Amino acid sequence: MVSSARAIGVPILASGPRAASLIEQRGLLGPMWGLGPSAEDVSIAEPDFVPIVKRSYSAFYATDLEVELRRHGRDQLIIVGVFASAGILATTFDAFARDIQSFVGIESTADYTAHQHRTALNLIASLTGRVTSSGNLLHDRRGGPLD
């Protein structure tokens, strides 16, 4: 999907947790999840990915995600990754509050359990965004590319 997105000029932004050396640097996530990934794990190897280093579940909280989207003239966000019931769900709520449309791929997301995955995708579909097959993420319901 990344190569298809590149081919039609979709900017690629990659979010991940901020590396921490002290549990307190993770805020409320620290007591729940520990230190999180190391600085090496957080680094983004792809040269054309715009890194969005986050501190909370939402990729919008205390980051430049909205600024980057607006800089690229975008008001739509395709979200893929892990933990649909945490980061993906929180990000779709924040996107909705900013008038940014969210699109989430069923096969491009995961979660702790199948039940949590289904529940999160159902919540997103009913409240904050569009959930679709990953193969449809770069096309709207009329078959045209997202713009």
Side-chain angles (χ1 to χ4, degrees), residues 8 46 58 101 130:
I8 61 172
E46 294 289 329
S58 173
Q101 293 178 299
R130 192 180 297 170

Short mmCIF file of all heavy atoms in Angstrom, two decimals, residues 8 46 58 101 130:
data_model
loop_
_atom_site.label_atom_id
_atom_site.label_comp_id
_atom_site.label_asym_id
_atom_site.label_seq_id
_atom_site.Cartn_x
_atom_site.Cartn_y
_atom_site.Cartn_z
N ILE A 8 0.64 7.88 -6.20
CA ILE A 8 -0.37 8.91 -6.47
C ILE A 8 -0.16 10.18 -5.64
O ILE A 8 -1.03 11.03 -5.56
CB ILE A 8 -1.81 8.36 -6.27
CG1 ILE A 8 -2.05 7.90 -4.84
CG2 ILE A 8 -2.11 7.26 -7.27
CD1 ILE A 8 -3.49 7.54 -4.55
N GLU A 46 12.52 4.71 6.76
CA GLU A 46 12.15 5.20 5.43
C GLU A 46 12.47 6.69 5.29
O GLU A 46 11.96 7.50 6.07
CB GLU A 46 10.66 4.97 5.18
CG GLU A 46 10.27 3.52 5.10
CD GLU A 46 10.76 2.83 3.86
OE1 GLU A 46 10.87 3.50 2.81
OE2 GLU A 46 11.03 1.63 3.92
N SER A 58 -3.34 9.07 21.03
CA SER A 58 -3.67 9.80 19.81
C SER A 58 -2.41 10.34 19.14
O SER A 58 -1.55 10.93 19.79
CB SER A 58 -4.60 10.97 20.12
OG SER A 58 -4.77 11.76 18.95
N GLN A 101 -11.16 13.71 7.88
CA GLN A 101 -11.79 12.41 7.66
C GLN A 101 -10.77 11.29 7.89
O GLN A 101 -9.65 11.36 7.40
CB GLN A 101 -12.31 12.28 6.24
CG GLN A 101 -13.46 13.19 5.92
CD GLN A 101 -13.87 13.02 4.46
OE1 GLN A 101 -13.07 13.25 3.56
NE2 GLN A 101 -15.09 12.58 4.25
N ARG A 130 -14.42 6.08 8.39
CA ARG A 130 -14.84 5.05 7.45
C ARG A 130 -13.91 3.85 7.61
O ARG A 130 -12.70 4.00 7.60
CB ARG A 130 -14.77 5.58 6.02
CG ARG A 130 -15.47 4.65 5.04
CD ARG A 130 -15.41 5.13 3.61
NE ARG A 130 -16.09 6.40 3.43
CZ ARG A 130 -16.01 7.12 2.32
NH1 ARG A 130 -15.28 6.69 1.31
NH2 ARG A 130 -16.65 8.26 2.21
#
